[in-house]
Amino acid sequence: MPDAHGLLHRLRRRPESWLLAVIVLACIVLGLLTPNFLTLSNAVDLLESYSVQAIMALGLFVVLVSGGIDISFAATASVAQYVAALMASSLGLPAFVCIAIGLLVGVALGAINAALIHYLRITSIIATIATMSVYFSFLMYFTGGRSIYSLPDWWVTRVTFWQTETADGYLVRITLPIVVFAIASVLTWLVMNRTAIGRQLYALGGNPEAARRIGANIAALHFFAYGFLGFMAALAGLLQAHRVAESVPNALFGGELAVLSAVVLGGASLMGGIGTVPGVLCGIVLLAILQNGLNLLGVSPYFFQIVIGLVILVSTAVTTLSARSGRRYRLAHKEPARG
């Protein structure tokens, strides 16, 4: 049975512990400054608003754990969403066909990234910056930037699983984006913690040469990681169109830094091999709370961009320092490395 000192030390080294403490502190401060912040309706609205970004963050988390990075996921989401919208509005294809086509487009674009990185040995950030430009430019070139407003009813009809009315008259709903986000979180956790491919992705990100020596199929891992992100990005794109009842080619483009900052804030290392799903969820929650609180306080949205930039810098520094501290602790106590 671990002693109290050892348990406390391990908790201090987990980014989720610090994030939870910061989230509680931020909620207390913002709750005191803005009376509308600590309400059930605001919390559920916040959860639905950030469900799209959170789903993309879960996919990006898998790529970061594998030791890579992908900047093209927002462009992938936009392309997948628009293709599915075109199939639904122009050809009138049934729901399951349009959804399947959208998801397949996302996986295919992710597989292109994996092929460029694995077979051509292009650095992941360079490859995905290039494909981001290609994917988005193709979309804008062929569509002329025109939005699709005539989405079918099955796509834009609000799906509510549970609702209640608060004492002050606000309606609180658990809607489809929230449920899909919850399922995506559980799926990602299961893949990364309960399957061999999840353990191999951690090994690949932590030490690619060691992963190769133990027989891991590096090509398959690359295709899985980038394909998984493509799937999640496409899923997020389809949900975004469901929320706003239209498909806008550039609606998701430009939000890459916010998603990346949430993932690294949650403890995922830009160097690979480190990170957890609960950490990513805490990162999303903290960023959502900060943006919502600043909006309620009337602070300029440009200030939030400053916060995002600082979050990436500080999180990367803290992750690096924590990794060094963790290695020293494991060497001192002869513990195995973990993600």
Side-chain angles (χ1 to χ4, degrees), residues 21-298:
V22 173
I23 288 170
V24 171
L25 182 63
C27 286
I28 293 172
V29 172
L30 292 172
L32 292 174
L33 293 175
T34 58
N36 294 328
F37 181 77
L38 284 180
T39 61
L40 181 61
S41 58
N42 186 51
V44 174
D45 286 346
L46 206 58
L47 193 58
E48 180 178 328
S49 300
Y50 273 81
S51 57
V52 170
Q53 286 190 7
I55 292 170
M56 289 194 285
L58 290 166
L60 182 60
F61 157 71
V62 173
V63 170
L64 288 183
V65 166
S66 74
I69 190 169
D70 189 340
I71 309 297
S72 68
F73 58 85
T76 298
S78 301
V79 173
Q81 179 199 90
Y82 203 91
V83 170
L86 208 58
M87 297 294 108
S89 61
S90 300
L91 302 181
L93 297 179
F96 73 94
V97 175
C98 296
I99 293 171
I101 288 174
L103 296 177
L104 283 174
V105 168
V107 173
L109 297 183
I112 291 173
N113 287 336
L116 292 173
I117 293 163
H118 183 77
Y119 293 114
L120 300 184
R121 307 295 182 192
I122 303 175
T123 307
S124 59
I125 190 169
I126 301 298
T128 55
I129 286 176
T131 53
M132 173 189 70
S133 177
V134 171
Y135 297 162
F136 187 67
S137 299
F138 261 115
L139 179 64
M140 297 303 287
Y141 177 78
F142 284 108
T143 66
R146 289 184 295 275
S147 302
I148 297 177
Y149 301 104
S150 56
L151 294 177
D153 291 341
W154 60 260
W155 197 335
V156 299
T157 301
R158 193 181 185 91
V159 180
T160 302
F161 292 89
W162 178 83
Q163 68 178 27
T164 186
E165 187 173 345
T166 60
D168 49 4
Y170 287 100
L171 204 58
V172 179
R173 297 188 177 109
I174 302 297
T175 57
L176 180 64
I178 296 174
V179 173
V180 174
F181 163 50
I183 294 172
S185 301
V186 174
L187 173 66
T188 307
W189 185 87
L190 288 174
V191 167
M192 298 304 289
N193 294 280
R194 291 292 184 268
T195 66
I197 199 165
R199 291 188 288 274
Q200 290 177 1
L201 285 169
Y202 275 107
L204 175 63
N207 190 331
E209 185 56 33
R212 193 174 286 109
R213 287 181 180 177
I214 62 174
N217 187 331
I218 306 300
L221 291 176
H222 278 145
F223 275 94
F224 179 84
Y226 289 91
F228 188 82
L229 174 54
F231 177 87
M232 287 295 189
L235 183 61
L238 297 177
L239 278 176
Q240 169 70 7
H242 166 74
R243 289 191 65 239
V244 300
E246 61 184 9
S247 177
V248 181
N250 58 355
L252 294 167
F253 194 73
E256 296 86 352
L257 268 185
V259 175
L260 177 62
S261 61
V263 180
V264 297
L265 181 61
S269 170
L270 292 173
M271 294 175 287
I274 297 174
T276 64
V277 170
V280 174
L281 300 182
C282 287
I284 282 285
V285 169
L286 182 55
L287 279 189
I289 286 173
L290 288 177
Q291 186 171 26
N292 182 245
L294 293 175
N295 286 339
L296 292 175
L297 289 171

Side-chain angles (χ1 to χ4, degrees), residues 289-311:
I289 286 173
L290 288 177
Q291 186 171 26
N292 182 245
L294 293 175
N295 286 339
L296 292 175
L297 289 171
V299 178
S300 167
Y302 292 112
F303 185 79
F304 185 66
Q305 299 303 317
I306 298 173
V307 172
I308 287 178
L310 291 175
V311 160

